[in-house]
Amino acid sequence: MLTILLIGIGGGIGSICRFGLSEWLSIYTGKAFPYGILIVNILGCAVIGMLAAFIQKAHIIEHFLTPYARGLFITGFLGGFTTFSSFSLDALVLFQNGQAGKALLYILLSVCLSMIVVFIGFSAVERYL
């Protein structure tokens, strides 16, 4: 139960940070292209990659990054902060485990099916409004 609460808290804070940083960046970059979300996703992917490497390679961090802290920071904060970091890490893990075919299929299905479903959902609502 505590893990779920921490994920929720981290996700809320991450979402607020994503919104704030994205809006702040749009002041400088404009809104014609979603540079803010692009930069947030790249930054979040860099952070989740570094944390994953530390967890795998530097066993000392396991003492500091408890399951509760992982829930708060990785699943919660970074999951809320980015729209892409968990997906990217899952794909990387598949590649690292020698499952390139599964990784590519996962990437293709995730991106294509998500875009198709967004279009279907948008079209369904637009048709009936």
Side-chain angles (χ1 to χ4, degrees):
M1 188 64 167
L2 178 58
T3 301
I4 293 170
L5 179 64
L6 291 171
I7 290 169
I9 290 169
I13 294 168
S15 296
I16 291 167
C17 290
R18 175 185 63 222
F19 174 78
L21 182 57
S22 180
E23 288 295 306
W24 179 74
L25 288 169
S26 73
I27 293 169
Y28 301 100
T29 62
K31 294 202 179 218
F33 186 83
Y35 288 107
I37 293 297
L38 176 65
I39 292 168
V40 163
N41 282 333
I42 291 168
L43 178 61
C45 286
V47 171
I48 203 169
M50 290 185 288
L51 284 173
F54 273 120
I55 290 167
Q56 282 182 5
K57 303 293 180 189
H59 297 290
I60 191 167
I61 202 166
E62 290 175 357
H63 299 292
F64 300 105
L65 202 54
T66 65
Y68 294 128
R70 288 180 192 175
L72 178 67
F73 293 114
I74 295 176
T75 306
F77 180 80
L78 288 174
F81 182 67
T82 71
T83 59
F84 217 63
S85 62
S86 295
F87 160 76
S88 299
L89 181 59
D90 288 342
L92 175 65
V93 168
L94 286 170
F95 277 117
Q96 287 177 331
N97 290 335
Q99 298 175 315
K102 282 186 180 180
L104 292 172
L105 180 62
Y106 175 64
I107 292 166
L108 180 68
L109 288 174
S110 294
V111 173
C112 292
L113 290 177
S114 294
M115 290 299 300
I116 290 167
V117 171
V118 166
F119 175 76
I120 290 169
F122 186 90
S123 297
V125 170
E126 187 177 48
R127 181 175 298 136
Y128 296 106
L129 287 183

